[in-house]
Amino acid sequence: MRPRPWLAVEFAALYIGAPLAIAFLLPPHRMFTALFLFSIAGLLLLWRTGGFQWRNLIRGRRMPWWEVLGIAVATLGAGVVILSLSRPEALFAMLRARPEFLLLIWCFYPILSALPQELIFRPLFFHRYGALMPSGKAAIAVNAAIFSFAHLMYWSWVVSAMTFVGGWFFARAYLRHGFPAAWMLHAVAGNILFAVGMGYYFYSGNVVRPF
């Protein structure tokens, strides 16, 4: 493990500097490329940290079904309310117009988006940089804030708010039940958002920078 001051610099570069660079400099259509490279770098850092039990990526305590259902219902409700007030034409638009494309998203989003994000913002965050964090709920709050900040590239307060709330529950699930639970919650929430029509806010092709 590197000295604490260096870890703080590394943490700032990874979780603050990189999202700023992506939001201000990277073309929106390159965001998935950035996520892929970000994920590779995160896995290498996790490997170099040492002491991480890699089998924990596939093992964990079973998450109560009612918690998963609660996240699913809350995500659905939030998406319907937000779109009804802001973009009613987008509400269930993909489900109505292109259900086959929505099915494709459901198949690939958990693997290509939710999985790398969870690796970076849960195991890497808490294992490598846990010594820099406060304890208890404060650590979860910091994790949620960092997760929300990573979505600055969308330039949307809706995305910022939803990713903060989502990050809170994903981090809580990770600390209580393990990586599989956090990944499952992220996948469920993301797939529901796209089904509702929130892809309007979370699709990189719709990004409009305010400058």
Side-chain angles (χ1 to χ4, degrees):
M1 180 69 73
R2 296 198 174 205
R4 190 183 180 100
W6 173 254
L7 278 181
V9 172
E10 185 182 284
F11 178 90
L14 185 65
Y15 290 110
I16 298 177
L20 282 174
I22 291 171
F24 281 91
L25 302 175
L26 194 73
H29 67 276
R30 294 289 181 88
M31 289 180 182
F32 269 101
T33 303
L35 179 59
F36 175 75
L37 296 176
F38 207 30
S39 303
I40 296 299
L43 287 173
L44 288 174
L45 286 172
L46 192 57
W47 172 71
R48 292 196 62 185
T49 304
F52 181 73
Q53 300 296 318
W54 292 93
R55 63 177 178 270
N56 289 339
L57 295 180
I58 59 173
R59 295 180 181 178
R61 291 185 293 274
R62 180 175 296 179
M63 190 170 187
W65 66 267
W66 54 266
E67 289 192 29
V68 180
L69 179 62
I71 290 293
V73 172
T75 303
L76 176 63
V80 169
V81 169
I82 290 170
L83 287 177
S84 296
L85 296 175
S86 62
R87 297 284 176 177
E89 72 280 2
L91 191 60
F92 297 110
M94 187 179 296
L95 182 61
R96 290 183 279 106
R98 300 191 63 188
E100 74 288 350
F101 187 59
L102 179 61
L103 183 60
L104 197 64
I105 290 176
W106 281 359
C107 291
F108 287 102
Y109 175 82
I111 299 171
L112 298 181
S113 185
L115 178 59
Q117 288 185 65
E118 284 306 305
L119 287 171
I120 294 166
F121 291 98
R122 256 50 81 176
L124 179 63
F125 181 96
F126 286 106
H127 182 68
R128 185 169 179 85
Y129 307 107
L132 303 175
M133 297 298 112
S135 59
K137 292 183 178 179
I140 295 177
V142 173
N143 182 264
I146 289 296
F147 184 65
S148 176
F149 185 73
H151 291 77
L152 174 64
M153 57 191 178
Y154 291 102
W155 297 101
S156 166
W157 70 265
V158 171
V159 172
S160 295
M162 295 200 75
T163 51
F164 178 83
V165 175
W168 179 287
F169 284 103
F170 304 156
R172 179 175 173 268
Y174 174 75
L175 294 176
R176 288 189 174 187
H177 306 289
F179 181 78
W183 178 25
M184 176 180 64
L185 278 191
H186 193 152
V188 168
N191 280 351
I192 289 176
L193 285 178
F194 280 105
V196 171
M198 288 294 290
Y200 176 86
Y201 289 103
F202 285 87
Y203 172 51
S204 60
N206 290 337
V207 171
V208 178
R209 288 180 172 140
F211 52 85

